[in-house]
Amino acid sequence: MLKTMVSPAIAEKAEEIAIPKISLDEWVNNPPSGGLEWVSGNLIEKTGMTLQHGRVQSRVGWLWKSHIETSGIGGEVYTEVPCRTLEQGRRPDVAYLTPDLLAEYGNLPTLPQSFPLIAEVISPTDAANDVFAKAHEYLRSQCQEVWLIFNEERLIVVLTQDARKIYVADEVITSVVLSGFSMTVNELLG
């Protein structure tokens, strides 16, 4: 079983906050409020959110939602909702759920797998190894596509099971999951 490593700074912060421990099953069945993720047996608060982070998160969610409505592919777009990976309990910044998965799991408190399409907006406090470990964790848990959005650097890394691509400036991003979606990095980041 692969285990995601938590950076020492994150583990130390969790100990300082003294968040009570619960099992992954407890987290899945009754996800705590406050954006807490279940990571390596600990409840970890997502930190580093800024106004820019929120703006990009909202913009990506709105653009994905607009596409699924205008294209008619259906499904739903979420922000910061719980899902279970093989190892952890996560709350992706932006996530898309297909119509089939929505019909099957849409009424559960936590999606029992990764969302098919996930975007994580990278904060200045995020460690690179943690960001890429989380993306690979999603991909091992039935996610088909992960977008890592580096707003300050104005680039987007898209990871799938078969490819890794970096997009900048006026390069057009397409999606394996959102059929027909295309937009430049500059358009996406505003």
Side-chain angles (χ1 to χ4, degrees), residues 139-157:
L139 291 170
R140 287 190 305 274
S141 304
Q142 298 179 306
C143 181
Q144 297 168 22
E145 183 175 5
V146 179
W147 294 18
L148 301 176
I149 302 172
F150 295 84
N151 184 48
E152 289 186 13
E153 294 78 10
R154 313 271 314 154
L155 67 89
I156 299 174
V157 178

Side-chain angles (χ1 to χ4, degrees), residues 19-28 30-32 38 41-43:
I19 297 172
K21 289 192 178 218
I22 63 172
S23 72
L24 178 56
D25 286 338
E26 290 172 308
W27 186 93
V28 165
N30 190 19
W38 193 94
N42 297 299
L43 291 177

Side-chain angles (χ1 to χ4, degrees), residues 100-118:
D100 292 344
L101 292 175
L102 183 60
E104 187 173 353
Y105 300 122
N107 293 323
L108 296 178
T110 302
L111 186 67
Q113 65 178 57
S114 290
F115 288 86
L117 174 61
I118 291 173

